[in-house]
């Protein structure tokens, strides 16, 4: 019998009950007792039928729930494959523009988002953004372990050998925003990496003194001080993904240690303080004290972030990272650069014409045949071809 049949039967029995009660009023008093017994029996049957209907309905509900569960079942292997696919998509190179600059914008209101750790901030220009509660971090100890508001390198106990071979770092999500620290061309000699045997731990972005410098990602200021080691006015921000960003040679610092900053907030003004050879931003990215090339994250000329998620490999780190930036090396490089530039500017060349001789060329430029031969790797007996260019000084 189906659940529908049982329900119909129960309904019929319920309709019969009032009829039995009406008949009871018409029978003689001598039959009242017998009739009451019959009514009681009938009510018991109805109750039993109702219980059966309820049981069948529960079974039907359970069957439907099982069917729904079957339809919503997610294969663990498929779920893992989908997760990997999502990560792979987020690791792919992309182009992500900066968030808006909120430094000079008045906050109209802060609203609940439905999540305890997330707020919605409304600004005076009708823009809005999700903001993570300042007391919240994905890793609640990220602003406790190795936290030092005075020393630049608190990770002295972290051994290079103990670091993972690779680690996936979230640069951007629905809460984490991004803003370029400064947009411009990297100085030709200010790229990350070794130059003339010396290690440059960050990148140098030429600028005009007083131009705004922005927090790249949201985070907490660990260092805001004048550094006598060469950085000059320096701000270091630790982000809740484990990265730290360095902003050196500032003319002015606008944040204090322990202060929470949002991506796009002005944290200082560009300058040339410390061991600097001219106004520029010295910008570094580090993970547990180990530096790596910031250009792996940011296209500084366009100001765009290169990816949502970054696979940081151990091989990206400089072996000199823990020592910090040696600005003596930077000044030595600058001095050598100027010397080479001066030598290059003093170079002179001569294009050989018909009838030219090495002696005549040497007399014309106030040099010697020996010097011309040395500069060009030729001999005094070398035949001069018309149209060839010789370096003469």
């Amino acid at each position: 019998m189906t659940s529908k049949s049982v329900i119909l039967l129960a309904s019929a029995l319920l309709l019969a009950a009032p009829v039995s009660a009406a008949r009871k009023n018409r029978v003689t008093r001598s039959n009242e007792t017998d009739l009451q017994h019959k009514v009681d029996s009938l009510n018991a049957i109805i109750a039993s039928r109702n219980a059966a209907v309820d049981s069948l309905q529960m079974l039907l509900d359970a069957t439907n729930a099982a069917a729904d569960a079957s339809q919503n079942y997610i294969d663990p292997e498929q779920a893992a494959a989908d997760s990997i696919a999502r990560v792979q998509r987020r690791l792919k190179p992309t182009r992500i523009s900066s968030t808006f600059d909120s430094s000079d914008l008045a906050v109209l209101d802060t609203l609940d988002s439905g999540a305890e750790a997330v707020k919605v901030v409304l600004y005076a220009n009708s823009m809005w953004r999700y903001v993570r509660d300042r007391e919240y971090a994905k890793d609640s100890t990220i602003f406790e372990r190795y936290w030092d508001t005075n020393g630049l390198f608190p990770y002295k106990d972290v051994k290079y050998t103990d670091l993972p071979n690779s680690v996936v770092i979230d640069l951007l999500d629905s809460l984490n925003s991004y803003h370029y620290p400064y947009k411009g061309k990297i100085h030709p000699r200010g790229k990350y990496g070794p130059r003339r045997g010396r290690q440059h731990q960050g990148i140098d972005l030429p600028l005009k003194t007083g131009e705004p410098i922005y927090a790249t990602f949201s985070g907490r200021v660990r260092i805001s001080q004048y550094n006598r080691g060469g950085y000059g006015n320096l701000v270091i921000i630790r982000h809740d993904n484990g990265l730290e960003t360095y902003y050196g040679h500032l003319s002015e610092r606008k944040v204090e240690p322990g202060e929470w900053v949002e991506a796009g907030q002005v944290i200082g003004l560009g300058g040339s303080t410390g061991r600097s050879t001219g106004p520029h931003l010295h910008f570094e990215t580090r993970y547990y004290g180990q530096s790596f090339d910031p250009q792996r994250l940011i296209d500084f000329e366009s100001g765009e972030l290169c990816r949502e998620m970054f696979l940081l490999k151990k091989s990206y780190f400089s072996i000199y990272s823990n020592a910090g930036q040696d600005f003596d090396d930077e000044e030595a490089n600058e001095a050598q650069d100027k010397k080479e530039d001066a030598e290059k500017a003093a170079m002179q060349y001569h294009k050989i014409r018909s009838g030219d001789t090495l002696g005549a060329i040497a007399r014309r430029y106030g040099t010697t045949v020996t010097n011309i031969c040395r500069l060009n790797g030729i001999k005094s007996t070398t035949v001069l071809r018309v149209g060839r260019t010789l370096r003469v000084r």
Side-chain angles (χ1 to χ4, degrees):
M1 179 181 294
T2 65
S3 60
K4 183 175 181 181
S5 300
V6 173
I7 293 171
L8 290 173
L9 175 59
S11 300
L13 290 172
L14 285 171
L15 290 172
V19 175
S20 298
R23 289 177 179 174
K24 186 178 82 169
N25 293 330
R26 294 196 298 268
V27 295
T28 60
R29 186 175 299 275
S30 61
N31 293 329
E32 284 182 357
T33 302
D34 182 55
L35 189 57
Q36 183 63 50
H37 283 268
K38 291 180 179 180
V39 170
D40 292 341
S41 297
L42 184 57
N43 287 335
I45 293 172
I46 291 172
S48 177
R49 291 291 188 269
N50 286 340
V53 170
D54 291 342
S55 297
L56 286 172
Q57 189 61 52
M58 291 176 61
L59 179 60
L60 183 61
D61 291 342
T63 303
N64 291 335
D68 291 341
S70 177
Q71 291 177 356
N72 295 328
Y73 173 74
I74 299 176
D75 180 18
E77 292 185 3
Q78 184 61 47
D82 291 343
S83 297
I84 292 172
R86 283 194 296 272
V87 169
Q88 289 174 336
R89 283 195 300 272
R90 297 189 67 208
L91 285 170
K92 287 182 178 179
T94 185
R95 291 289 176 176
I96 302 167
S97 298
S98 287
T99 185
F100 57 90
D101 176 5
S102 60
S103 298
D104 297 325
L105 294 178
V107 175
L108 293 182
D109 202 357
T110 301
L111 309 175
D112 289 333
S113 67
E116 183 178 353
V118 182
K119 304 295 181 184
V120 178
V121 177
L122 304 179
Y123 294 94
N125 65 346
S126 300
M127 302 291 283
W128 65 275
R129 67 165 57 150
Y130 287 117
V131 174
R132 181 178 282 119
D133 189 283
R134 297 181 180 187
E135 299 302 321
Y136 173 83
K138 291 179 180 178
D139 179 354
S140 60
T141 65
I142 197 71
F143 303 119
E144 298 173 4
R145 291 180 299 162
Y146 309 108
W147 184 259
D148 188 344
T149 57
N150 293 307
L152 297 192
F153 307 105
Y155 301 104
K156 294 177 182 178
D157 294 335
V158 180
K159 297 180 181 178
Y160 178 83
T161 53
D162 293 337
L163 292 173
N165 289 327
S166 62
V167 59
V168 175
I169 296 177
D170 272 316
L171 300 178
L172 198 70
D173 58 26
S174 59
L175 298 178
N176 285 334
S177 299
Y178 155 78
H179 197 290
Y180 54 78
Y182 182 79
K183 184 165 65 173
K185 290 185 178 180
I186 297 175
H187 191 285
R189 301 185 182 106
K191 295 183 178 181
Y192 178 88
R195 190 159 62 90
R196 297 195 186 97
R198 302 181 177 98
Q199 180 71 20
H200 194 228
Q201 304 280 39
I203 54 100
D204 292 337
L205 293 163
L207 46 69
K208 294 180 181 179
T209 298
E211 291 191 298
I213 304 301
Y214 301 95
T216 308
F217 306 105
S218 300
R220 198 175 298 281
V221 177
R222 185 171 67 80
I223 293 288
S224 180
Q225 64 184 27
Y226 186 90
N227 173 259
R228 299 186 181 280
Y231 284 100
N233 278 319
L234 172 68
V235 170
I236 299 177
I237 302 174
R238 182 177 295 182
H239 312 286
D240 62 7
N241 55 16
L243 294 180
E244 286 193 336
T245 48
Y246 285 48
Y247 310 78
H249 304 318
L250 303 177
S251 62
E252 183 179 341
R253 293 173 281 110
K254 291 185 172 292
V255 291
E256 297 298 329
E259 182 178 343
W260 182 272
V261 295
E262 296 292 337
Q265 181 176 333
V266 175
I267 50 114
L269 304 179
S272 186
T273 56
R275 305 287 288 275
S276 172
T277 54
H280 70 279
L281 171 66
H282 177 84
F283 179 74
E284 297 181 13
T285 48
R286 291 179 180 259
Y287 182 77
Y288 281 86
Q290 303 290 329
S291 69
F292 62 93
D293 189 353
Q295 290 189 95
R296 293 185 181 276
L297 307 182
I298 302 169
D299 180 336
F300 289 93
E301 192 166 346
S302 70
E304 295 172 320
L305 189 66
C306 297
R307 47 183 45 84
E308 294 181 15
M309 185 179 282
F310 177 51
L311 181 63
L312 177 58
K313 299 181 181 179
K314 196 173 184 177
S315 58
Y316 295 164
F317 297 139
S318 162
I319 60 173
Y320 305 102
S321 292
N322 288 326
Q325 179 61 54
D326 188 337
F327 288 93
D328 288 336
D329 286 350
E330 196 165 321
E331 288 186 333
N333 273 331
E334 181 70 14
Q336 185 63 29
D337 290 340
K338 288 180 177 179
K339 180 180 178 182
E340 291 178 0
D341 288 344
E343 291 176 349
K344 187 175 182 179
M347 291 179 184
Q348 285 185 285
Y349 294 86
H350 176 81
K351 193 171 186 178
I352 297 173
R353 303 167 188 167
S354 178
D356 278 345
T357 64
L358 286 175
I361 295 171
R363 288 191 297 273
R364 179 176 176 179
Y365 291 98
T367 185
T368 64
V369 171
T370 300
N371 191 47
I372 292 176
C373 289
R374 179 183 62 81
L375 291 173
N376 295 277
I378 61 176
K379 297 179 180 179
S380 59
T381 56
T382 298
V383 177
L384 302 181
R385 298 193 308 273
V386 174
R388 177 178 178 176
T389 298
L390 292 178
R391 180 182 168 188
V392 294
R393 297 188 73 82

